Structures are given as structure tokens and as C-alpha cells.
Amino acid sequence: MVKNPRKRQKISDRYDPASSKEAKLSKLLDDENKDEEERRLESLLFGKKYEPKVQEKGKSRQAESGEDTTTDESDDDNAAVGGGGMRHLLDQDLFFVDDTAANGSSSMAFQATGSHSELEDTDSGSGSSSSSWSTPSLPSGQGPLYSKSITASGSKPPAWVDPADTQPTKVSLLGGASRLRKLRHAVDEDEITGREYETRLRDKFERLNPEPAWSKNFRNSKRRKTAGGRDDEDLGEARDLEEDGDPEGLETLVSSSHGILKERRKRIVALPRGTIALERVRDANHSTQCSTSGEVKVVSFHPKPAVPVLCVATSDRRVSLFHIDGHLSPLLTTLHVPSLPVLSDSSVLYHPSGNSLLISGPRPFFYTYDLQQGTSTLHRRGLWGTGFDDSSILTPSNLQKRRRRNGQAGNTTGGGGSGGGGNTESISHASFSPGTGSMLAVAGKGGNVHLVDWKSGAGQVIGNLRCSSSGGGGGGGIKGLWWIPSSTVNGEVLGDRTGCIDEEKHLAVLTGEAEVYIWDVGQRRCVRRWKDEGGYRGAGRVLAGSNGWIAIGSTSGFVNIYGSDAMATPSIDDTHSTGRNPKLLKALGQLTTPISTLKFNHDSQILAMASKDKKDALRLVHLPSLTAFGNWPTSSTPLGHVTAVDFAARSEYVAVGNSRGKVLLYHLKDYGA
């Protein structure tokens, strides 16, 4: 097969003047022959300012009239995108004094060294505009003339100047690295000064990384404060204080009389009803989930906001402490107490001071763990004077043998037996008094509440409170304890006319018969007793309280919410109102199985209620409106069977423990981190 010969391209013998270097360069620099797209592309590649070819007549008319076309909005835009590139320049690089003999007067002229746009000066007499890109040379023997030191507004003079910066240096854009060619303003530009090179690098960085909105807003707020009409001396002092590390300035420092190191009041957060903003972060016990930990029994945050520590107790009798940071949440330490089962949500309690942990359970002894020293102490004598001379009694195998020998194999609450002094009391529910934590209330058997002196450290019972209605069987006993504060944010709750706060004066007790006792701890007498609405024998399950609120969970799944009248105590003369029931604000029926967990957040705007008998049975309630948040949890939220819930000290996190041994951690965006 014969192949066709390849056709040759015809080459013209005529000489093309555009092939010369000068013609090509002039063609590249001619903006009249370029379209808008090409000019826009050049501005992106070489850093040239893009100006569209529109409104030429309007521009010339404004130039003839001498009007200034710059506005405040354009200044803000230039400052946001590469407008701060000349902040590092010295005054002699920006300004000079024109002291020529032609006009006989001194005038200040701006020199834009290394800027993207030329500053045009229009002469009213001649109408010609001239632009300068370099500092003019002064007559020989005459230095730069300055009438006064010119500094940028809001800036301080440099504390130290490198002598190498003042020496003239040259940087080659074509002879150096290839990436330096992006800094050229013209195709044939080669050498620039060192300060010009620094200016272009700063402009390049600010174009690629624009100024964030928060920085721009802060700078504008400082400008508004500066324009308030204060003296220059006061402005300088306030400006120096702000730049030294006090962002709030001098006015905030001298406007209050409290100490500088005192913690300032946090901002008040008003949660909207209907929806709650939260996001899931890595599980709190992510580092220990690989091991079989069992069901989560206790989830408790440290009471101090400055200590982000979460305590997690599981059914394998281990107590773990995690550092909550919202990312990794590393494990700090783990305590193993094989002789003490963890059954209730109050088995592990923080002391209100935050220095120690109380670990208790269905045994007549307890442990205390010092958080500062990292040491645990076993209190063998117990709260009721029981003694354990033989340390082998603390092992689980020996305890089981003693139960079988004494015919107590089915009794899971007796821990001492006859060998422990004949006292089988245990700790099922406990609560420290708020504030000082000098007293501990412990729920015992037969409707008894033991008051333990915790101030001396001996842990001895100093008094008993007996609830008569819960002494029998059939679902009786103590189900919840809560210390009632003497005063709240909204005013007096208990009618204390003296005005002093006694946080250890009244104690609220919930029995299994759904009855609430309010005890005067100092006088050891019941000052009020009322029954939960809709409650019956064995219906009471959980009691929780906060500032002006009381929530009671029942076996039917309803949660009754009461106001401050449920905590008010009658006067001495009004003896008929002792058993008067308070007004029920609302009965929440979102859950249908027995309530196992009730928890308020720190400002009493959120109530978490959960039931461990049903999967994903958790709801968050907006207390000001008494409505549940509808956007969370969803059908895809992996809650499981919720066994424990707790909020952080400032409600920035909420931890949810389930029966699979996981502690889910969620960040509440309204309260911040």
C-alpha cells in the first residue's frame, strides 16, 4: 500500500517584526490589546491590581473636578486583602518633606513604596498627574527634614531595629529561585530592594491568607474606642495596656473593685426552646473500651470548672479518671476495689471541695481517695463502729463463704454479718452537703437517714432521721436525697428572713411510697411532708433538685416537675400547711419505662431524664418552657441503654454512660468549651 507523502508546512519568507524581543515585550506590556480575561489572569499571577475598563468618562470627570474617589469601604477592603503590607516600613520610607524652592512652601507627599496601586497627585494649575515609586534624592549635604515624628495610629515605635535592615540590599527575581518570579510587577523586572522584597512577600501572604473576621472586628472596635474623645495621654496608656496582654483595656480593669485574679462572672446563656445545638466528640473512655469494663454505673464531672476531670465507675469494680479535652480524653488513673461493688449512681462521690473521692457500696466500710496525693484509704471501722480485725474478710470469696455459712446467700446488702460486729448497715444512697461538705447524709435501712460528721475526718454518725412511711416492705426505703439551699438566684426559697446562707439546714428525702420529707437537720425534725401527685406505694424512683426546681421520677415513666413552693417550709404558727401538697407544674411523659436517672445542669435550664430499661430512652428538657428538645436524640443516635448522665461544671459537656461500657461525650455549643 502506497503511503501519501507528508505535507510540509509553508513558511513565509517575509520578516515578522513581532519576532524581535523589543516588539514582543511592548506587545506584552500594552494593556489596550488585552481583553478583560487576560488582564484578570495577569493580576492573579503577577499580583497586579485589576481595574476593569469601564466608566472612563466618569473617572476623567472626577479627576478634573478634583474629587477624592476613595471611600471608607474601599479602605476596609484594602485592609482586609493585602492592605497591611506597609505596616512594617519605617517612616522615612513612607513620607518625606518637599522643601523645594519652586513653590516656597513645605508639603507632605506620600510615597507608596512597594504598594500595588500608585497614589496620584493632581495639580490644579497644570492638570498633570505624576506618580513616584522611589524616594527622591535630597541635595548633597542635606539630610531628611522632618518637622515631627510621624507614627502610624495605634502603633508603638519599635523597641529594637536590626542594623542589617538599614543597609541597602538587592534581591534578584530572575537570577534567584524560580518561585521569585511570581513577585514581579513587570515582565522584565529583575532587581528590587530588600525592603521592597519584604513588602511583596507580606502582600502575597495576605492575599493567600486573608484577615479573619474576628481580627477585623476587634481592630474596628479599637478604632471606635479610640474615637471616643479621650485625651492622647489616656489613649496611649490604654493602648499600651492592650498591647501588653490585656485585651479588655484599662477601663475594664479600673471599672470594678474586685481582685485581678478573681474569676469574673460568666456570661448568661439563654437557651432557646425546641432545638439544642450539640455535637458528638470522641468517647470519654475511648482509651479503655478495648478491655471488658462492664456496665457504666457512675458518671461524674469534677465540681470545679478549672479541673476538667471525669470519673467513671463500672460494674467490674473499677473507678477511672479521665482528662476531658474534647479530643483524646486521656486516662489519668484507675482504681480497683474488688471488695466493694458499685451499684448506685452515688457509689462514687466527689467531695464539694474537689480534693477527694468517696467510694461506697453495699458494705459496712468505704474508701476515700485523695486526688492531690493519689492515695486511697480503707476505713475498716465503718460509719457505725463496725470493726474488721481480719483483713481476709474483705476478699469476695471469703464474704461469699460467710454468707453461705450463716444462711445469707440470698442477701446481697449485708456486708458485715456476725463477724463484723453484728451490724449489717450499708451505703446505698449518699449525698454531701453543698458548700463546705462538712456533713454526709446516708440512706440506711428501715427508712433511716444517717447524718455523718465529715468535718473531723472520722466519719462518725452524729444523728438519725427516720421516715415512718418507708419502714415496711413492698417497695419502701429511701430512693433519693437532696440538700436544699437556703437561698437561690431568684430569691429566698425557704423563707429565711435572716439573710444568711445555711446550706446544711434542710434535707429533702424521697421514699419508695412517693412521699417527700423535708427535714430540719439542726433540729432533727420534719418540717414538711407531702405526696407526689399520682404516686402510689412503690412508685417513687428518683429525686433530683436544683435552684427552684424539684423533679421526681416514677416507675410509670412520668417525671413530675415542681417549683419553689415544694421546698418552702411553713411558719411556726401555720401547722395546718405541713402536709399540703405543692402545685404540679407539669408531668413529662416522653418516657414509658421506669425512670432511672434525673440530672439538672448547672444553671437549671436543662433536665436530663433517662430509663435504662429501654434502648435510647433519654430526653433533654428545656425547663423554662417545660418542653423536650425535639432535634436530639435522633433515631441514629447510638445511646443504647442509658445508665448514667452528668453535665460538666459549666455545662460545656454532657456525658452519657450505657450498659455496653461506653461513655458518650457531647459538646453543648451554647455554653462553649
Side-chain angles (χ1 to χ4, degrees):
M1 183 176 180
V2 181
K3 296 183 179 179
N4 295 327
R6 187 173 182 179
K7 296 182 179 180
R8 296 182 179 179
Q9 186 178 2
K10 295 182 179 181
I11 301 176
S12 177
D13 296 335
R14 293 178 297 175
Y15 175 75
D16 187 9
S19 59
S20 62
K21 182 177 180 181
E22 293 78 5
K24 289 182 179 180
L25 182 59
S26 61
K27 188 176 181 180
L28 288 175
L29 297 178
D30 189 7
D31 290 342
E32 298 296 334
N33 298 330
K34 301 176 184 178
D35 55 358
E36 296 295 329
E37 184 177 0
E38 186 177 358
R39 296 174 67 249
R40 188 182 296 107
L41 182 60
E42 284 187 356
S43 64
L44 294 176
L45 292 177
F46 303 108
K48 299 176 62 177
K49 186 175 181 181
Y50 171 71
E51 295 181 357
K53 297 180 179 180
V54 292
Q55 299 180 355
E56 296 293 338
K57 297 181 180 180
K59 291 184 178 180
S60 60
R61 189 178 297 111
Q62 291 177 357
E64 292 177 1
S65 60
E67 295 179 356
D68 189 7
T69 59
T70 59
T71 59
D72 295 337
E73 296 179 357
S74 62
D75 293 340
D76 294 339
D77 295 340
N78 294 334
V81 184
M86 295 186 294
R87 296 176 182 174
H88 67 287
L89 297 179
L90 301 178
D91 295 338
Q92 56 267 27
D93 296 332
L94 291 174
F95 309 101
F96 77 98
V97 179
D98 188 4
D99 197 13
T100 57
N103 47 13
S105 62
S106 299
S107 62
M108 299 298 296
F110 294 96
Q111 296 294 331
T113 306
S115 62
H116 295 297
S117 60
E118 299 178 356
L119 300 178
E120 299 181 355
D121 262 341
T122 304
D123 191 1
S124 58
S126 60
S128 61
S129 61
S130 61
S131 61
S132 177
W133 284 82
S134 60
T135 305
S137 58
L138 296 177
S140 59
Q142 184 179 3
L145 300 177
Y146 292 98
S147 59
K148 62 178 181 178
S149 177
I150 303 174
T151 59
S153 177
S155 63
K156 297 172 61 177
W160 176 79
V161 178
D162 190 359
D165 294 341
T166 59
Q167 299 178 1
T169 57
K170 295 293 184 179
V171 178
S172 176
L173 301 180
L174 297 178
S178 59
R179 61 176 179 271
L180 297 181
R181 300 181 181 182
K182 299 179 181 180
L183 302 177
R184 294 179 297 173
H185 287 174
V187 179
D188 57 344
E189 187 177 11
D190 186 7
E191 289 187 353
I192 57 176
T193 61
R195 193 165 296 277
E196 171 70 12
Y197 174 68
E198 182 181 355
T199 302
R200 297 189 184 185
L201 286 179
R202 290 179 180 270
D203 290 342
K204 186 72 175 180
F205 178 80
E206 292 180 1
R207 286 198 306 270
L208 298 177
N209 303 277
E211 184 181 7
W214 62 265
S215 177
K216 184 178 180 181
N217 296 336
F218 178 73
R219 179 163 44 82
N220 293 337
S221 63
K222 289 180 63 177
R223 290 177 180 176
R224 288 192 295 267
K225 290 181 180 179
T226 306
R230 295 179 293 177
D231 296 338
D232 295 339
E233 184 177 356
D234 297 339
L235 286 175
E237 294 179 358
R239 201 175 293 122
D240 294 344
L241 186 60
E242 290 177 358
E243 293 180 358
D244 290 341
D246 186 7
E248 298 184 358
L250 181 63
E251 290 185 353
T252 308
L253 182 63
V254 301
S255 61
S256 60
S257 59
H258 62 73
I260 300 177
L261 300 180
K262 182 179 179 181
E263 182 181 1
R264 300 184 179 180
R265 174 176 259 178
K266 302 294 182 181
R267 62 185 182 91
I268 300 176
V269 178
L271 291 179
R273 58 177 297 180
T275 59
I276 183 171
L278 79 169
E279 62 178 352
R280 184 184 178 185
V281 297
R282 180 173 291 185
D283 295 348
N285 61 342
H286 177 77
S287 57
T288 60
Q289 286 181 4
C290 56
S291 60
T292 305
S293 58
E295 179 181 341
V296 177
K297 294 294 185 180
V298 179
V299 171
S300 179
F301 280 94
H302 196 277
K304 301 299 182 181
V307 184
V309 176
L310 176 66
C311 175
V312 178
T314 54
S315 59
D316 61 348
R317 307 184 184 188
R318 297 181 187 273
V319 180
S320 303
L321 299 178
F322 298 91
H323 175 75
I324 302 301
D325 56 359
H327 300 283
L328 298 179
S329 298
L331 175 66
L332 299 179
T333 185
T334 300
L335 307 176
H336 187 207
V337 283
S339 60
L340 193 59
V342 179
L343 298 181
S344 64
D345 56 352
S346 61
S347 296
V348 181
L349 290 177
Y350 279 105
H351 192 268
S353 63
N355 297 327
S356 61
L357 278 174
L358 170 64
I359 307 174
S360 60
R363 298 290 185 270
F365 56 89
F366 60 94
Y367 288 86
T368 57
Y369 180 75
D370 194 332
L371 294 175
Q372 295 181 349
Q373 298 181 2
T375 58
S376 59
T377 304
L378 170 63
H379 299 266
R380 297 182 179 180
R381 184 171 177 79
L383 300 177
W384 299 273
T386 57
F388 297 94
D389 298 333
D390 187 8
S391 61
S392 62
I393 196 175
L394 300 177
T395 60
S397 59
N398 292 339
L399 287 174
Q400 189 69 18
K401 291 178 181 179
R402 297 182 68 89
R403 293 195 192 100
R404 292 176 181 176
R405 188 182 306 115
N406 298 330
Q408 299 176 357
N411 186 9
T412 59
T413 59
S418 60
N423 197 325
T424 58
E425 285 285 6
S426 61
I427 303 177
S428 57
H429 295 281
S431 177
F432 278 107
S433 59
T436 60
S438 60
M439 191 173 295
L440 176 69
V442 179
K445 291 184 177 180
N448 291 318
V449 178
H450 307 283
L451 301 178
V452 182
D453 181 19
W454 207 262
K455 184 184 299 183
S456 61
Q460 293 300 314
V461 177
I462 60 176
N464 293 312
L465 308 175
R466 180 175 176 82
C467 301
S468 59
S469 66
S470 59
I478 306 300
K479 299 299 181 181
L481 302 171
W482 177 55
W483 291 89
I484 303 176
S486 298
S487 62
T488 60
V489 179
N490 298 328
E492 296 176 353
V493 174
L494 297 175
D496 189 5
R497 304 292 183 182
T498 60
C500 61
I501 298 177
D502 187 3
E503 296 179 338
E504 303 171 358
K505 187 175 182 180
H506 293 86
L507 177 67
V509 181
L510 174 67
T511 64
E513 283 78 8
E515 286 189 339
V516 177
Y517 291 76
I518 297 180
W519 292 88
D520 190 328
V521 177
Q523 301 180 5
R524 306 289 196 273
R525 70 182 183 92
C526 179
V527 296
R528 188 178 181 185
R529 173 183 173 184
W530 51 273
K531 192 176 185 63
D532 182 25
E533 185 171 338
Y536 52 89
R537 187 177 180 82
R541 290 295 298 269
V542 185
L543 170 69
S546 184
N547 296 327
W549 302 92
I550 283 184
I552 299 177
S554 62
T555 57
S556 61
F558 281 91
V559 177
N560 293 339
I561 307 295
Y562 297 92
S564 59
D565 59 336
M567 297 171 279
T569 58
S571 60
I572 300 177
D573 299 333
D574 190 8
T575 58
H576 299 285
S577 62
T578 304
R580 184 180 302 171
N581 291 341
K583 179 182 178 181
L584 176 64
L585 298 181
K586 190 172 184 179
L588 304 174
Q590 283 81 7
L591 303 180
T592 57
T593 51
I595 303 298
S596 59
T597 303
L598 289 176
K599 195 68 178 181
F600 289 91
N601 73 324
H602 80 286
D603 59 355
S604 304
Q605 293 194 68
I606 304 176
L607 170 64
M609 55 182 186
S611 174
K612 65 180 180 180
D613 296 338
K614 187 177 180 180
K615 189 177 181 180
D616 300 336
L618 172 66
R619 296 294 183 272
L620 297 182
V621 180
H622 182 249
L623 283 176
S625 62
L626 294 177
T627 57
F629 292 103
N631 65 322
W632 192 87
T634 62
S635 58
S636 59
T637 305
L639 295 177
H641 294 269
V642 178
T643 57
V645 179
D646 193 25
F647 292 92
R650 293 296 179 186
S651 301
E652 58 268 20
Y653 293 104
V654 55
V656 180
N658 56 26
S659 59
R660 294 177 295 178
K662 294 184 177 182
V663 180
L664 308 179
L665 193 62
Y666 292 89
H667 169 54
L668 300 180
K669 298 181 179 180
D670 293 317
Y671 291 97

